[in-house]
Amino acid sequence: MARTTSSSTGGPSAPRNRTPQPLPRRRRTFGDFVKAFLAFVALAALVFGVPGALAVAVGWPLPGGMPSLDWLQQEITVGTFINVLTVVVWLAWAQFTACVLVEVKAALSGVGMPGRVPGAGGSQLLARQLVAALLLVGATAASFAPGLSQFGQSLEGNQKPASAASAQQTPGGLFGQEQAQSAASAVAEQAEQAAAHAGSSAKDGDTKYYRIQPPEGRHHDSMWEIAERHLGDGRRYKEIYQLNKDREQPDGSRLSEASLIRPGWIMEMPADAHGGELVEMPDEAPKVSQDVKEQISDYAKSGDHQQGGGQQGGGSQEQGGSGSGSGSGDRDTAHITIPEQRPSESGKGKQEVPVASSGNESEGFSFGLPEALIGAPLLAAGLLGALGRRRRHALWQSAMGAVGGRRGMEPPTPTGGAADVQDALLVGADPEGVRLLDLSLRGLAAALAEESRALPTVYAAWLSNGDLHLQLAQPAGRPPAPWQLGQDQTFWMLARTDAERYEEVETAAPYPGLVSLGTLDDSRLLLNLEAVPGVVSLSGTEADRAAVFASVAAELATNGWSDRMTITLVGFGQDLTPLAPNRLRHLDDIEALIETMDAETRQRRGALGAAGHDSVLTGRTGPAQHTRWAPHLVLLAAVPTGDDAVKLAELAADASRLGIGYLVGTESGDLPGAAWEMEITPEGKLLAPLLGLELEAQALPEAQQRAVVELFVDADPGEGGTASSGSGRTGVTPPFLVDVTEQGRPAVYARLVGTYEIIGLETPDGERSPLMHEALALLLLHREGVHPRVLSSALWPRGVTEDVRDALIDRLREWLGTEPDGSPRLRADRSGRLTLAKSVVSDLDVLRSLYHEATQGRGANSRAVRGRMLTDALVLVRGPLLADRPRGRYAWLTHEIIDAQLPLLVADIGLALSEFHLEKQRAEKAIEALNASLNSAPGDERLWNELLRATHAVGDPARLQQVAADLVARSGARGVPPRTEALLDELLPTWRSGLSAVS
């Protein structure tokens, strides 16, 4: 609970002010009616009299038809001047009339500040005063204008950018505080104007106050509810916030965030506020205690005019003071706020979105990329990493299972929407950010375990300028180094520079339920679904809800900061299971879900009690790590009925302690037991009004869902064998073949396997040479083409502007030169992707072509050709791919599967050449070929098995025993694979007893 003092609460005997206090109504005076009448006359004269007078006195000032050139040579008369002035007056009248209409609409609606009419200035201010005076005798006037006494002040002078101080304290906004950019919106303008004049224009008797009430059960006061009760619209909470922002409260702290308010605080209310819980000045509120009267009186003297420019310096400290109220130990509610922004170190923080895009991607190219995935770096990194693992697994599975024929080396090349989605994943992914997040969380868990401290409950994590902020459910003391306290006791912060010093630790993932919901300016929110005290509801249209559910499911299924979990999908996601079959499961209906979760809830509750744990968190650190409670996250997109909703609420009441989280879809937003209510709008905003949440939602639309799933299905060797298509499979041609005859000499030849060398081009300028070499390597490894945004993302992971990217492409095109027919060797295909001419090749292209030609081309029918080509191919292998690449560059290779493809290709070549030699009983030649292949693929079981057979063919048991000893030493703790062990038993039955003699 937030700490309070007697001065803040009025002492133990102070009343809580829950009894409605009637407000004396201000009676309309005769002067009010006079002002309204005069305003009506003025408006009638200006709106209706001016055009009538112009029509009668002057008539239509413009020519009746198209003027001829002779008209320009006519003499300028007095009538000409009168006509010109008449046009000006007509324009001024039209502008003033527009102002009147805008002001009348705003006055009658009673919500928000009227929009500005372009160039109106004083005209709109005059219209505002006249309309206000006219409506002064009605209920709307009190909230509409400060009064006729301010006529003559400039409109601009009445509006103060009150969001400036807030923008300096936070990275662009907060969870419950208006964003800095919203200062230009209509509602914020009205709130700022009201706050600017609160101390000078309002009389004491007209100013109303509200005292924040203590919580009752699960209910806590919020500004949204206060505005809804007393202003008629919850969206007007911003007006209350602006009136009271940074003003000192009775307990000495200040209001700095709209979602952080404490019992006992006093809120000045807009003039049109109404309702029984409001009080006016102390003398007019006899039922309020004397202590509270003094507090209200002191608070009234601390208006906006008293604060001056001192907000900037004390913002951080006072925000920390008020923030402690958010860390209440009350688990029935959760206040989520954005952390304070720590100044970045020389702008070195990694950007959330790797590539800056300042213009229309369609300019110069035929399409853009799916922005939803580009703007979701953690989701993109998870999907890309999982896709890479799936493709590597497919390669090894097909390789180890190959009998007779060879398996393929290339996954199928995506086309259409799948190609665009793959490019978007490459552009948007932030694998380094995922790695640091995982290291940071596990490092924190390990440090707490060393200190015998339990993991604190974390409601949310914020990634802001590369730093990680954890928001705790309640204060948990000082965090272990290098973690630091954030803006208050409920924030633990880790700077990116400290996270980079973390090393791998053997500990369970502490917060696997964290999942991205969206962004607020430069900060990304990850909600811990596992820790929410109840159900999280999501309302909106069915399609919008489905996109958010799919994003949450995909990230939970593929993220890199969790070990194991169960994700149950109901009402959607039948097609998402290929992303992670071991994590995702789909249930048919809500009835099956309730039955399943009821049994699991009882099982977990009993297991926790038997183990003596308070929650699943105590089973993830310390001596109890053997009880690693994996989270179970339920994503229910189908809208439950009333009875089902009540059952879910009962199941979720204790879910956070058990490691179970619920995200449930609803149409109305009213769901029983919902701890947090969220809404996804058609504009892509994720809103939680009671908490003031307004994020740019992270979503995965249906078309992109299908494309992502297509990538995973095509990579799965079990799905029709599509992933096995490649160079080694009979009848299948590699995507790019090189003419390996003498007539096929390339114009540009790059050696990538081993030391990077380029033949046929001049070396570029010293400073640009590494960048251009890297760009060429990327293009050579992707003969199908590279999207310009993928290229720029690979070369500049922190982001780059389009002009810099395009300048590099132009220099690269100039460097590569042209073909004999004048066409450039670097060109763009119909889809806008950059491709290389066939005259630009790499040794990897030649390696693939030689193997294909030897096994499926001319070498298939000619033993001499096959032997020569396989030998030539093995000679090309000079080491690992790009062996001398500079440190810090070529980070994009982590997304590639070439590191798995190349060793398998070399192994295939070695196996084929060994078979070629063994056919003629040339065992030594076969052993030589196998040893050469083992240098590039030391872990390939097939090579070791063939080496054992070739060595056995030599007829030297001692030599075979030495090979067996080397194999056992390489196998390490894993031991010899079963197939190899069986082969050793057949070829050398005494190999086990001979190991000690050899060692």
Side-chain angles (χ1 to χ4, degrees), residues 874 923-933 947:
L874 202 56
E924 291 295 344
K925 289 286 187 180
I927 293 173
E928 182 181 347
L930 292 169
N931 282 326
S933 298
L947 182 60

Side-chain angles (χ1 to χ4, degrees), residues 786-798:
V786 177
H787 193 283
R789 295 185 71 175
V790 174
L791 178 67
S792 59
S793 174
L795 300 181
W796 293 282
R798 294 180 183 270

Side-chain angles (χ1 to χ4, degrees), residues 745-749 759-761 819 825 839-840:
R745 291 186 176 274
V748 178
Y749 181 67
I759 301 172
L761 293 176
E819 296 285 76
R825 294 188 178 123
S839 61
V840 182

